[in-house]
Amino acid sequence: MLLSDIAMLLLCGGITGFLAGLLGIGGGMILVPFMILVFNHLHFDQSIIVHMAIASGMATILFTTTSAISAHHKHGSIDWSLVKSFSPGLVIGGLVGGSEIFEALNTSWLSLFFATFLVYSSAQMIINKKPKPGRELPGSLGLVSFGAFAGTLSSLVGAGGAFITVPFMLWCNVKPHIAMASSSGLGFPIAVAATIGYMYGSWGNPNLPPGSLGFIYLPAVACIVAVSIFTAPLGAKMARKLNVAQLKRIFGVMLIFLAVFMFNESRKAFGF
């Protein structure tokens, strides 16, 4: 990689780490468009470039969430009983989605799916709809089932799951700061399962570039993680001081611009 590629990845790592701690997101959805730019610059095979960007972004979540979890746990913000209840489903969904389904999707459809996901996520951030009073979390079977759905969907878009687990927890009247902190804990099992799935599903692919472990491009992951593990605790610290609801709306607007980029990537992949 050139210095410009490394600089972009380091910058992205710093930003996504901070947002992971601040908003409880894994950061993969921010990284994907920028890694596509870097991978295009490195002339990676176009048939796998989106797959590699999503898988590499998810791999960074393994480290970013660990740092964010540590910071939130020190302040007692994570509901570990929730994490325990969701995790079996998250692991099953992450493994299945990251291996079988992810490998089967071609670049054009994967780009379109990711862009649509960004639009949904931005709407969730901007609207910030309040739940009805009295609604509660479902029982164990319901949490495992929802976890499987969230894990599968997250593995397809390279996200830590906060885009779906946080709105669900808020909808069930979990306190906002608990929901966002706990989503860091939920992001780890998703990242582990999906990363294993990405490697298993793409092992032996002849189009993979040197330095990759399946769809995961290790040099990019190393650059991002080198910074994100330090900025994630800063974000977690700021989350207790700033108006997070307002920041989520600003972040939602930013996601719309990233969605436009991904829709354009999808258009090019379809040949329009």
Side-chain angles (χ1 to χ4, degrees), residues 116-131:
T116 304
F117 146 72
L118 284 179
V119 172
Y120 165 79
S121 297
S122 65
Q124 290 289 333
M125 294 282 186
I126 294 170
I127 295 173
N128 200 24
K129 188 177 179 181
K130 303 298 181 184

PDB file of all heavy atoms in Angstrom, residues 116-131:
ATOM      1  N   THR A 116     -28.743  -0.083   0.735  1.00  0.00           N
ATOM      2  CA  THR A 116     -30.080  -0.066   1.327  1.00  0.00           C
ATOM      3  C   THR A 116     -30.000  -0.105   2.847  1.00  0.00           C
ATOM      4  O   THR A 116     -30.738   0.591   3.548  1.00  0.00           O
ATOM      5  CB  THR A 116     -30.902  -1.266   0.821  1.00  0.00           C
ATOM      6  OG1 THR A 116     -30.932  -1.244  -0.613  1.00  0.00           O
ATOM      7  CG2 THR A 116     -32.327  -1.217   1.354  1.00  0.00           C
ATOM      8  N   PHE A 117     -29.079  -0.887   3.351  1.00  0.00           N
ATOM      9  CA  PHE A 117     -28.856  -0.971   4.794  1.00  0.00           C
ATOM     10  C   PHE A 117     -28.426   0.385   5.357  1.00  0.00           C
ATOM     11  O   PHE A 117     -28.856   0.790   6.445  1.00  0.00           O
ATOM     12  CB  PHE A 117     -27.801  -2.049   5.062  1.00  0.00           C
ATOM     13  CG  PHE A 117     -26.898  -1.782   6.233  1.00  0.00           C
ATOM     14  CD1 PHE A 117     -27.362  -1.876   7.528  1.00  0.00           C
ATOM     15  CD2 PHE A 117     -25.574  -1.439   6.029  1.00  0.00           C
ATOM     16  CE1 PHE A 117     -26.520  -1.635   8.596  1.00  0.00           C
ATOM     17  CE2 PHE A 117     -24.725  -1.195   7.091  1.00  0.00           C
ATOM     18  CZ  PHE A 117     -25.211  -1.288   8.386  1.00  0.00           C
ATOM     19  N   LEU A 118     -27.583   1.115   4.633  1.00  0.00           N
ATOM     20  CA  LEU A 118     -27.143   2.429   5.090  1.00  0.00           C
ATOM     21  C   LEU A 118     -28.313   3.410   5.180  1.00  0.00           C
ATOM     22  O   LEU A 118     -28.397   4.211   6.117  1.00  0.00           O
ATOM     23  CB  LEU A 118     -26.071   2.986   4.154  1.00  0.00           C
ATOM     24  CG  LEU A 118     -24.664   2.398   4.261  1.00  0.00           C
ATOM     25  CD1 LEU A 118     -23.737   3.050   3.240  1.00  0.00           C
ATOM     26  CD2 LEU A 118     -24.097   2.555   5.662  1.00  0.00           C
ATOM     27  N   VAL A 119     -29.218   3.344   4.199  1.00  0.00           N
ATOM     28  CA  VAL A 119     -30.390   4.218   4.216  1.00  0.00           C
ATOM     29  C   VAL A 119     -31.250   3.912   5.442  1.00  0.00           C
ATOM     30  O   VAL A 119     -31.718   4.815   6.144  1.00  0.00           O
ATOM     31  CB  VAL A 119     -31.212   4.054   2.923  1.00  0.00           C
ATOM     32  CG1 VAL A 119     -32.534   4.816   3.023  1.00  0.00           C
ATOM     33  CG2 VAL A 119     -30.415   4.549   1.727  1.00  0.00           C
ATOM     34  N   TYR A 120     -31.459   2.617   5.701  1.00  0.00           N
ATOM     35  CA  TYR A 120     -32.241   2.207   6.878  1.00  0.00           C
ATOM     36  C   TYR A 120     -31.581   2.703   8.160  1.00  0.00           C
ATOM     37  O   TYR A 120     -32.253   3.248   9.054  1.00  0.00           O
ATOM     38  CB  TYR A 120     -32.374   0.684   6.902  1.00  0.00           C
ATOM     39  CG  TYR A 120     -32.845   0.136   8.239  1.00  0.00           C
ATOM     40  CD1 TYR A 120     -34.193   0.185   8.595  1.00  0.00           C
ATOM     41  CD2 TYR A 120     -31.934  -0.401   9.151  1.00  0.00           C
ATOM     42  CE1 TYR A 120     -34.622  -0.292   9.825  1.00  0.00           C
ATOM     43  CE2 TYR A 120     -32.365  -0.880  10.378  1.00  0.00           C
ATOM     44  CZ  TYR A 120     -33.704  -0.834  10.720  1.00  0.00           C
ATOM     45  OH  TYR A 120     -34.114  -1.303  11.936  1.00  0.00           O
ATOM     46  N   SER A 121     -30.271   2.517   8.248  1.00  0.00           N
ATOM     47  CA  SER A 121     -29.550   2.923   9.461  1.00  0.00           C
ATOM     48  C   SER A 121     -29.628   4.424   9.678  1.00  0.00           C
ATOM     49  O   SER A 121     -29.798   4.895  10.803  1.00  0.00           O
ATOM     50  CB  SER A 121     -28.080   2.487   9.374  1.00  0.00           C
ATOM     51  OG  SER A 121     -27.970   1.089   9.315  1.00  0.00           O
ATOM     52  N   SER A 122     -29.493   5.182   8.583  1.00  0.00           N
ATOM     53  CA  SER A 122     -29.551   6.641   8.703  1.00  0.00           C
ATOM     54  C   SER A 122     -30.938   7.087   9.167  1.00  0.00           C
ATOM     55  O   SER A 122     -31.063   8.008   9.986  1.00  0.00           O
ATOM     56  CB  SER A 122     -29.205   7.299   7.363  1.00  0.00           C
ATOM     57  OG  SER A 122     -30.169   7.002   6.374  1.00  0.00           O
ATOM     58  N   ALA A 123     -31.982   6.416   8.669  1.00  0.00           N
ATOM     59  CA  ALA A 123     -33.346   6.759   9.085  1.00  0.00           C
ATOM     60  C   ALA A 123     -33.530   6.503  10.582  1.00  0.00           C
ATOM     61  O   ALA A 123     -34.143   7.306  11.296  1.00  0.00           O
ATOM     62  CB  ALA A 123     -34.359   5.953   8.278  1.00  0.00           C
ATOM     63  N   GLN A 124     -32.982   5.378  11.061  1.00  0.00           N
ATOM     64  CA  GLN A 124     -33.080   5.060  12.483  1.00  0.00           C
ATOM     65  C   GLN A 124     -32.383   6.127  13.327  1.00  0.00           C
ATOM     66  O   GLN A 124     -32.863   6.522  14.390  1.00  0.00           O
ATOM     67  CB  GLN A 124     -32.445   3.693  12.758  1.00  0.00           C
ATOM     68  CG  GLN A 124     -33.218   2.516  12.203  1.00  0.00           C
ATOM     69  CD  GLN A 124     -34.506   2.263  12.960  1.00  0.00           C
ATOM     70  OE1 GLN A 124     -34.621   2.594  14.138  1.00  0.00           O
ATOM     71  NE2 GLN A 124     -35.478   1.687  12.300  1.00  0.00           N
ATOM     72  N   MET A 125     -31.223   6.581  12.850  1.00  0.00           N
ATOM     73  CA  MET A 125     -30.454   7.587  13.582  1.00  0.00           C
ATOM     74  C   MET A 125     -31.174   8.936  13.611  1.00  0.00           C
ATOM     75  O   MET A 125     -31.205   9.627  14.627  1.00  0.00           O
ATOM     76  CB  MET A 125     -29.080   7.761  12.935  1.00  0.00           C
ATOM     77  CG  MET A 125     -28.181   6.547  13.021  1.00  0.00           C
ATOM     78  SD  MET A 125     -27.437   6.381  14.652  1.00  0.00           S
ATOM     79  CE  MET A 125     -26.330   4.996  14.367  1.00  0.00           C
ATOM     80  N   ILE A 126     -31.748   9.322  12.474  1.00  0.00           N
ATOM     81  CA  ILE A 126     -32.352  10.652  12.348  1.00  0.00           C
ATOM     82  C   ILE A 126     -33.703  10.737  13.055  1.00  0.00           C
ATOM     83  O   ILE A 126     -33.987  11.691  13.783  1.00  0.00           O
ATOM     84  CB  ILE A 126     -32.500  11.031  10.859  1.00  0.00           C
ATOM     85  CG1 ILE A 126     -31.111  11.188  10.225  1.00  0.00           C
ATOM     86  CG2 ILE A 126     -33.299  12.325  10.700  1.00  0.00           C
ATOM     87  CD1 ILE A 126     -31.142  11.320   8.718  1.00  0.00           C
ATOM     88  N   ILE A 127     -34.558   9.709  12.861  1.00  0.00           N
ATOM     89  CA  ILE A 127     -35.914   9.748  13.421  1.00  0.00           C
ATOM     90  C   ILE A 127     -35.884   9.612  14.942  1.00  0.00           C
ATOM     91  O   ILE A 127     -36.579  10.329  15.662  1.00  0.00           O
ATOM     92  CB  ILE A 127     -36.780   8.635  12.798  1.00  0.00           C
ATOM     93  CG1 ILE A 127     -36.969   8.905  11.293  1.00  0.00           C
ATOM     94  CG2 ILE A 127     -38.137   8.567  13.491  1.00  0.00           C
ATOM     95  CD1 ILE A 127     -37.655   7.774  10.556  1.00  0.00           C
ATOM     96  N   ASN A 128     -35.072   8.636  15.427  1.00  0.00           N
ATOM     97  CA  ASN A 128     -34.935   8.422  16.877  1.00  0.00           C
ATOM     98  C   ASN A 128     -36.298   8.284  17.543  1.00  0.00           C
ATOM     99  O   ASN A 128     -36.600   8.927  18.555  1.00  0.00           O
ATOM    100  CB  ASN A 128     -34.153   9.577  17.508  1.00  0.00           C
ATOM    101  CG  ASN A 128     -33.558   9.195  18.859  1.00  0.00           C
ATOM    102  OD1 ASN A 128     -33.328   8.026  19.132  1.00  0.00           O
ATOM    103  ND2 ASN A 128     -33.323  10.191  19.701  1.00  0.00           N
ATOM    104  N   LYS A 129     -37.128   7.406  16.991  1.00  0.00           N
ATOM    105  CA  LYS A 129     -38.509   7.221  17.462  1.00  0.00           C
ATOM    106  C   LYS A 129     -38.553   6.654  18.872  1.00  0.00           C
ATOM    107  O   LYS A 129     -37.805   5.746  19.214  1.00  0.00           O
ATOM    108  CB  LYS A 129     -39.260   6.284  16.504  1.00  0.00           C
ATOM    109  CG  LYS A 129     -40.748   6.171  16.793  1.00  0.00           C
ATOM    110  CD  LYS A 129     -41.432   5.282  15.763  1.00  0.00           C
ATOM    111  CE  LYS A 129     -42.920   5.149  16.061  1.00  0.00           C
ATOM    112  NZ  LYS A 129     -43.600   4.271  15.078  1.00  0.00           N
ATOM    113  N   LYS A 130     -39.433   7.188  19.688  1.00  0.00           N
ATOM    114  CA  LYS A 130     -39.565   6.743  21.071  1.00  0.00           C
ATOM    115  C   LYS A 130     -40.498   5.531  21.156  1.00  0.00           C
ATOM    116  O   LYS A 130     -41.503   5.455  20.450  1.00  0.00           O
ATOM    117  CB  LYS A 130     -40.124   7.872  21.946  1.00  0.00           C
ATOM    118  CG  LYS A 130     -39.285   9.144  21.919  1.00  0.00           C
ATOM    119  CD  LYS A 130     -37.883   8.902  22.456  1.00  0.00           C
ATOM    120  CE  LYS A 130     -37.068  10.185  22.446  1.00  0.00           C
ATOM    121  NZ  LYS A 130     -35.675   9.963  22.884  1.00  0.00           N
ATOM    122  N   PRO A 131     -40.189   4.562  22.038  1.00  0.00           N
ATOM    123  CA  PRO A 131     -41.034   3.372  22.168  1.00  0.00           C
ATOM    124  C   PRO A 131     -42.283   3.636  22.992  1.00  0.00           C
ATOM    125  O   PRO A 131     -42.361   4.620  23.732  1.00  0.00           O
ATOM    126  CB  PRO A 131     -40.110   2.391  22.907  1.00  0.00           C
ATOM    127  CG  PRO A 131     -39.243   3.276  23.740  1.00  0.00           C
ATOM    128  CD  PRO A 131     -39.016   4.523  22.905  1.00  0.00           C
TER     129      PRO A 131
END
